[in-house]
């Protein structure tokens, strides 16, 4: 079983950047595809980016494509989300997840972190 802890969130001005990290415990981290989602107040979880266990294939939601980059370092049991050109609409709780398969469907992910808050001011 893997446990996930996100970090790196905070307050940033529009146009700025943040790098989120998701640290995993457990020896099986490298077996799992990983994903990043976000959840704004009163709304459901929205897929942002996914990555295969090897890191060889990535997938992005249209809303973040070209601005966000997902990557992973299996030696460090960590997955990252580099976020550039941030907009006020990116304000949300950012959550990483470990999945059965690389997918945009939250139902395909079995383990979730608690999230890290990102606030983008205008």
């Amino acid at each position: 079983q893997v446990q996930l802890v996100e970090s790196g969130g905070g307050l940033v001005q529009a146009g700025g950047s943040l790098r989120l990290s998701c640290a995993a415990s457990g020896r099986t981290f490298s077996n799992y595809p990983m994903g990043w989602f976000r959840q704004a107040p009163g709304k459901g979880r929205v897929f942002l980016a996914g990555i295969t266990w090897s890191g060889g294939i990535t997938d992005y939601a249209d809303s973040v494509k070209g601005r966000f980059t997902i990557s992973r370092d299996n030696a460090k049991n960590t997955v990252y989300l580099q976020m550039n050109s941030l907009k006020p609409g990116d304000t949300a709780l950012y959550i990483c997840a470990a999945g059965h398969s690389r997918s945009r469907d939250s139902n395909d992910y079995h383990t979730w972190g608690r999230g890290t808050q990102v606030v983008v001011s205008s």
Side-chain angles (χ1 to χ4, degrees), residues 16-104:
S17 299
L18 283 174
R19 188 194 196 201
L20 306 183
S21 298
C22 173
S25 62
R27 295 176 294 172
T28 58
F29 169 77
S30 61
N31 293 346
Y32 297 123
M34 298 292 294
W36 281 98
F37 292 74
R38 68 186 177 193
Q39 187 167 17
K43 297 187 177 181
R45 288 176 180 173
V46 176
F47 170 82
L48 299 176
I51 189 167
T52 52
W53 68 271
S54 67
I57 299 175
T58 57
D59 182 34
Y60 298 93
D62 288 345
S63 60
V64 304
K65 193 175 295 183
R67 298 191 298 127
F68 291 10
T69 302
I70 188 172
S71 62
R72 68 190 296 163
D73 185 337
N74 287 340
K76 295 182 178 181
N77 279 8
T78 303
V79 63
Y80 305 98
L81 187 68
Q82 176 68 42
M83 307 188 297
N84 299 327
S85 302
L86 284 162
K87 307 172 183 179
D90 293 319
T91 295
L93 182 69
Y94 283 69
I95 310 164
C96 70
H100 299 293
S101 61
R102 183 183 59 82
S103 170
R104 296 187 174 199

